[in-house]
Amino acid sequence: MSRKQKISITFPPVKYGYDITLGNGFLEVIAGDIKRNFPNKKLAILSDNNVSAIYASKLKSAFDERELHSIIISFPAGEKSKSSATKELIESKMIKNGFDRSTILLALGGGVTGDLGGYIAATFMRGIPFIQIPTSLLAMVDSSIGGKVAINHPMGKNLIGAFYQPRAVYIDVSMLKTLPVREYYNGLAEIIKTALIEDKRLFESIIKNKILISDRSDRFLLKLIMESCRIKGRIVMEDEKESGKRKLLNYGHTIGHAIEILTGFSIPHGFCVSIGMNVENIIAYKMGILGFDDYLKINEILRYFNLPVKIPSKINLNEILKKVRIDKKSINSVPFFTLIRGIGLGSIDNAVEEDLILEALGESR
Ligand code: ADP
Ligand code: ZN
């Protein structure tokens, strides 16, 4: 079965906009679309070794059939590859293969491939078009929208990057079948976050269809991913450079990022966000802005999907507080949080007392 649905993202003023096309088992359709929209272009298919082994040659064959010239460039899977060394290796391969300004870089993979590929596309020959085929759930709902591309620097994650929008994004939910279980739930945490800040109906639908989610039902995932992308797209369109409304997306991330850094990025991002949402909900409850029933409902669904809600015992709570003080939302070291005032009711710029943060952290062990 091949289904195809579209979401359009346009930034005002209309400098650039792109479609996110969703479908199920539609690699052939994707190749046909690219041929129609970008005739006479050469394609560099960038993919990590895991994804490349499963999908890259299938995609290349679909391009070959349409007489579109493409090469596959693969790199070792993992965050370590978001480096200037890997970036240079990939650029060298592109140059050696005669790739020039008429090249399209197609990132086929998870967030690492999208971030790295997008950053290469932003600077290769002063910028070449970039197409994304996200293959992990996290990349489908998160990194494919917003145009943030980056590599890491030895001194920190995502320190070197740009805002660079793709020309097109294609999401094939059938690819999620091969995604490792940990990576699947890693992405689901961000979908739950999106529902909690903006869309009560989506959250209720997640609860109602939790078995379909665990079973990775193609039909339900198509709907779920489409809704999640639509919401994130709407938020990002209103605030491309992250000043106001986009802060909503930081829900769960103030505490989540601190845990991520303090555990040396050994816990997947979505898992840290899950712990972060739970702690931040305790803060909101203690401030009297979130009801206990809502707190419980969220806590239960996170645990249903085996998402962590407790802070690992090895982390010192004062260290978390120190990281919160230097979070980008803090002003003069006063912590500001994005909290929820109910399900689907995200609220930005909440100043929170440090004692209250420590209390909530203490209750999250
Ligand atoms: P992110 O979680 O940001 O998407 P990665 O790009 O590192 O991070 O992807 C997570 C892991 O999942 C990587 O090891 C990658 O190779 C693997 N992966 C991504 N998509 C798929 C897929 N559809 N099938 C199998 N493995 C995949
Ligand atoms: Zn996130």
Side-chain angles (χ1 to χ4, degrees), residues 65-322:
E65 275 168 31
R66 290 164 180 80
E67 293 176 354
L68 262 180
H69 176 64
S70 65
I71 60 163
I72 297 169
I73 301 178
S74 73
F75 62 89
E79 188 70 27
K80 276 212 174 76
S81 285
K82 271 175 65 174
S83 65
S84 57
T86 310
K87 176 175 181 276
E88 198 173 314
L89 273 173
I90 294 165
E91 288 159 346
S92 302
K93 277 190 195 156
M94 289 169 67
I95 296 165
K96 273 186 203 143
N97 278 281
F99 280 60
D100 53 23
R101 285 194 57 79
S102 67
T103 307
I104 296 177
L105 196 145
L106 194 156
L108 171 72
V112 167
T113 309
D115 278 6
L116 174 66
Y119 186 53
I120 292 172
T123 48
F124 189 77
M125 311 264 166
R126 298 200 176 83
I128 56 171
F130 166 50
I131 293 176
Q132 254 179 303
I133 304 184
T135 62
S136 73
L137 186 55
L138 187 63
M140 289 177 185
V141 297
D142 212 41
S143 39
S144 65
I145 307 165
K148 282 184 179 182
V149 297
I151 57 170
N152 302 328
H153 184 274
M155 293 174 76
K157 245 184 99 154
N158 294 332
L159 291 184
I160 313 296
F163 281 96
Y164 196 64
Q165 308 293 340
R167 292 293 184 86
V169 176
Y170 296 95
I171 296 178
D172 185 343
V173 293
S174 72
M175 289 178 167
L176 293 173
K177 286 274 183 296
T178 56
L179 189 68
V181 67
R182 201 171 144 92
E183 300 301 336
Y184 181 69
Y185 289 102
N186 185 27
L188 186 65
E190 288 280 1
I191 298 182
I192 295 175
K193 177 207 77 178
T194 302
L196 287 172
I197 53 175
E198 274 287 273
D199 196 326
K200 187 177 164 105
R201 264 186 42 209
L202 181 61
F203 184 77
E204 297 299 341
S205 152
I206 291 170
I207 293 187
K208 196 169 137 223
N209 295 290
K210 57 189 182 199
I211 296 171
L212 290 181
I213 294 175
S214 305
D215 290 348
R216 304 196 197 183
S217 146
D218 280 342
R219 274 178 73 116
F220 188 70
L221 281 173
L222 195 70
K223 266 175 58 183
L224 188 66
I225 294 166
M226 188 152 79
E227 277 314 305
S228 189
C229 287
R230 197 171 266 151
I231 298 167
K232 183 167 180 196
R234 217 171 46 215
I235 294 173
V236 167
M237 272 187 272
E238 280 180 37
D239 180 15
E240 191 205 344
K241 288 276 157 73
E242 204 165 40
S243 47
K245 185 143 195 208
R246 202 159 164 164
K247 285 188 205 160
L248 275 179
L249 299 167
N250 282 314
Y251 166 57
H253 283 62
T254 307
I255 299 294
H257 274 151
I259 295 171
E260 220 175 351
I261 296 168
L262 293 169
T263 50
F265 295 93
S266 59
I267 305 177
H269 175 74
F271 291 12
C272 295
V273 171
S274 172
I275 302 169
M277 290 191 286
N278 195 63
V279 176
E280 294 177 16
N281 288 352
I282 297 177
I283 293 175
Y285 167 67
K286 286 182 176 293
M287 290 171 72
I289 62 176
L290 179 69
F292 190 70
D293 287 356
D294 283 347
Y295 160 76
L296 216 55
K297 213 169 172 180
I298 299 163
N299 178 281
E300 270 169 18
I301 193 72
L302 294 173
R303 286 188 295 118
Y304 175 84
F305 291 122
N306 283 323
L307 285 164
V309 290
K310 293 202 179 300
I311 298 169
S313 54
K314 61 182 173 199
I315 305 181
N316 179 321
L317 301 183
N318 283 304
E319 291 298 318
I320 298 184
L321 189 59
K322 273 193 208 157

